[in-house]
Amino acid sequence: MTSATTALLLTAPVAVPLAVSAAYALSAFVRHEVPHPHMVEKPRPAKKAVAVGVATGPSYTGKATDAGEPPVESPAPRHHLAEWAGLVSPAVILGCAALLAGECVDGGSVSAYSGLLRADALTAWMLLVVGAVAFVACASAPAHLAEERAAGSATAWTEWRYHVLVQAFLGAMCLAVVTANLGVLWVTIEATTVVTAFLVGHRRTRTSVEAAWKYVVICSAGIALAFLGTVLIYYAARQAGIAEAWALDWPTLLARADRLDPAVTRLGITLVVLGYGAKAGLVPLHAWLPDAHSQAPAPVSALMSGVLLSVAFAAILRYRVIADAALGIDFTRILLAGIALLTLALAAGLLLAQRDFKRMLAYSSMEHMSLVALAAAIGSPLALAAALLHIAGHGLAKATAFCASGQILYLRGTSKIGRVRGLLARSPWLGALFGLAVVALLGFPPFSLFASELGIARAGFAAGTGLGWVMAAALLLVLTAFAALATRTTRMLLGTGEPTGEHPSALWPLTLGLVTCAALGIAAGPLGDLLSQAAIVLERP
């Protein structure tokens, strides 16, 4: 592969989403859909069929509804084609990831721009995950936006803003995956916070704005900790004689980790794990997750839960390898195992008391990320491969579940579990897809989470007495979460009711996500070698 081709493959996953975002912005200005300062959005009461806090939004009907209110054109059918243009970015990400996987599957790596961008097997795997989950989420966006228009909570302005921010979000996540510089990694993770804060508050209701502020405050605290940890690692690298230009280069730090000052490195790694752990939904800075995921638009919740948490944890995995080379295996093992158990215990307890199905899915994300953290603490090749497979399976299943939950919300007008009954009778296809997504999250075959959770359990019990007891406690907590999730989902699915109309355009992305998740569970195929090589990248030196 030539250097020009390598640079193109590493740049395209970042550049194309940003270009699509710019194209959406430019088209909005050309069509004069960006509101003038005097055209202030005015909320109107929510329609009866839509949940309070969801349908509340500006009234744009093309006519002046109140004296002095300027008329604003309602969304026209021409927007429909533009909404599907968002699929270009996931397609490009998947294509570049596949080509990079072919180069890295034998243990090699490629780089560009003097090592600023770099891809190994782990990079290719994470790009595949980002592209697959983004495809499901972006393909579900047109149906979701159509529901918002029907509810009166979407306008040309809010749709423009949605597309611009989602594409920028994808670009930031891809840059976090392909960069080899830990400083750029911090910048991109911070960029995801800025972009997604506006997406969480997309509906501009009191509840969504409160959730957005909570998200910004807590994640900013976490990112500040990660920044301080990054500075300490830089300081340790400079003290070890590493040149300034390479002091935050991941391969360089890994090669010279034995020279890093242990005390400084220990403090820096602790701050990094806590800081990026906030973005991954791990304790103690986890409180933003249920509020943000429950208030964000369903496709955005799918992206946040399906890949944002995983991208943040991939950063922790990169630091973990450096820490193990510099400090030995016990430090990160104890730190990650303790955080994993605390997160899992909290998620299981909150799932038992949960009455909102979107928050239920958010707490389920905490449960699954704690399992990934536990696998990282174990650190064996089997555990790491299972963790990466779990990241992919969880992303696909959770994207399907969140996108389905958004349709349920608009169909039934509430996110309360107790008020949703007979979903299979009322909407058979939607109910079946939502139920199967939860079945996948519960770890049933043939979905890939069955294989990944089994691999994590096997690796834990094979790692030694100490981790065996940790794994036993984790399995008890997983069973508790399993019972809570299964009981509440069953209540939503079973019962009687009158059938309602279903739109195939809203269901095929969910079907695709579940089929892909099941295919990973049945046979990894050519991805098996890539998965094994990605685990080798993360093995302790």
Side-chain angles (χ1 to χ4, degrees):
M1 183 182 292
T2 65
S3 58
T5 303
T6 299
L8 178 62
L9 291 178
L10 290 172
T11 306
V14 181
V16 170
L18 295 180
V20 174
S21 177
Y24 274 120
L26 182 61
S27 65
F29 278 102
V30 170
R31 295 202 301 252
H32 303 289
E33 291 174 350
V34 179
H36 296 288
H38 71 276
M39 299 172 68
V40 181
E41 295 181 355
K42 295 184 177 182
R44 74 180 191 182
K47 292 186 178 181
K48 182 178 180 180
V50 185
V52 174
V54 174
T56 302
S59 175
Y60 290 99
T61 61
K63 299 179 181 180
T65 55
D66 296 316
E69 181 181 349
V72 180
E73 182 181 359
S74 61
R78 65 184 177 183
H79 291 201
H80 187 70
L81 183 60
E83 290 167 358
W84 291 103
L87 289 176
V88 172
S89 297
V92 170
I93 294 170
L94 285 171
C96 292
L99 293 174
L100 289 172
E103 291 294 318
C104 303
V105 72
D106 294 326
S109 63
V110 294
S111 60
Y113 307 111
S114 300
L116 181 63
L117 302 184
R118 180 182 180 274
D120 51 24
L122 176 61
T123 303
W125 180 264
M126 291 304 301
L127 279 179
L128 286 172
V129 174
V130 172
V133 175
F135 194 92
V136 174
C138 290
S140 300
H144 176 81
L145 293 173
E147 290 168 342
E148 285 197 341
R149 287 195 295 270
S153 59
T155 66
W157 158 247
T158 57
E159 291 184 22
W160 167 85
R161 183 178 59 194
Y162 173 89
H163 288 300
V164 169
L165 292 174
V166 165
Q167 295 299 317
F169 182 29
L170 291 179
M173 285 194 293
C174 288
L175 183 54
V177 170
V178 301
T179 186
N181 187 283
L182 300 182
V184 176
L185 173 64
W186 179 87
V187 172
T188 55
I189 297 294
E190 172 66 8
T192 62
T193 302
V194 175
V195 172
T196 49
F198 291 100
L199 288 169
V200 171
H202 171 74
R203 298 189 180 97
R204 300 183 67 179
T205 62
R206 179 177 180 179
T207 308
S208 64
V209 171
E210 179 183 345
W213 275 109
K214 189 174 184 179
Y215 171 62
V216 168
V217 171
I218 295 176
C219 285
S220 294
I223 291 299
L225 292 177
F227 175 74
L228 183 56
T230 304
V231 170
L232 289 174
I233 296 298
Y234 175 83
Y235 173 79
R238 295 290 290 130
Q239 292 296 109
I242 300 176
E244 180 179 352
W246 302 98
L248 287 177
D249 181 66
W250 185 76
T252 303
L253 284 170
L254 183 60
R256 305 182 185 180
D258 57 333
R259 304 181 186 178
L260 300 180
D261 181 82
V264 176
T265 303
R266 187 177 295 108
L267 179 57
I269 293 296
T270 302
L271 292 174
V272 164
V273 170
L274 292 176
Y276 288 136
K279 294 288 292 186
L282 302 175
V283 296
L285 299 175
H286 64 280
W288 64 270
L289 192 144
D291 294 288
H293 287 196
S294 64
Q295 291 303 314
V300 175
S301 298
L303 286 172
M304 293 178 70
S305 182
V307 286
L308 177 59
L309 305 184
S310 300
V311 167
F313 198 84
I316 295 177
L317 291 175
R318 295 281 188 185
Y319 274 98
R320 170 196 154 276
V321 185
I322 297 173
D324 287 348
L327 306 171
I329 65 174
D330 291 336
F331 176 72
T332 53
R333 172 171 287 181
I334 294 173
L335 180 62
L336 288 174
I339 290 176
L341 277 182
L342 289 174
T343 305
L344 188 56
L346 181 65
L350 292 173
L351 278 171
L352 288 173
Q354 198 46 240
R355 298 295 181 265
D356 182 292
F357 58 77
K358 289 197 74 176
R359 294 177 70 89
M360 175 184 74
L361 294 175
Y363 287 123
S364 171
S365 297
M366 291 176 58
E367 173 208 349
H368 286 281
M369 292 312 298
S370 64
L371 288 176
V372 175
L374 186 57
I378 297 168
S380 65
L382 174 60
L384 294 172
L388 294 176
L389 181 61
H390 198 84
I391 283 174
H394 171 256
L396 290 166
K398 192 55 64 68
T400 302
F402 265 118
C403 290
S405 72
Q407 296 182 39
I408 296 170
L409 181 63
Y410 278 98
L411 176 68
R412 301 304 301 273
T414 180
S415 60
K416 300 298 182 183
I417 296 174
R419 298 180 184 177
V420 178
R421 291 288 186 272
L423 192 57
L424 285 173
R426 292 175 180 268
S427 302
W429 283 102
L430 177 59
L433 290 170
F434 180 75
L436 286 174
V438 174
V439 166
L441 293 172
L442 293 175
F444 280 106
F447 299 103
S448 63
L449 281 90
F450 171 76
S452 60
E453 290 183 1
L454 182 61
I456 293 172
R458 287 178 55 197
F461 286 118
T465 306
L467 283 176
W469 283 107
V470 171
M471 182 56 62
L475 288 179
L476 289 176
L477 294 171
V478 167
L479 288 175
T480 303
F482 176 102
L485 195 59
T487 301
R488 280 151 182 75
T489 304
T490 302
R491 291 177 182 174
M492 295 172 61
L493 296 177
L494 301 182
T496 59
E498 294 295 328
T500 58
E502 295 181 295
H503 301 285
S505 63
L507 298 176
W508 73 264
L510 312 183
T511 305
L512 180 63
L514 286 177
V515 169
T516 307
C517 185
L520 278 176
I522 295 172
L527 294 178
D529 293 337
L530 179 65
L531 181 62
S532 300
Q533 190 59 48
I536 292 175
V537 171
L538 293 173
E539 279 188 51
R540 296 183 171 98

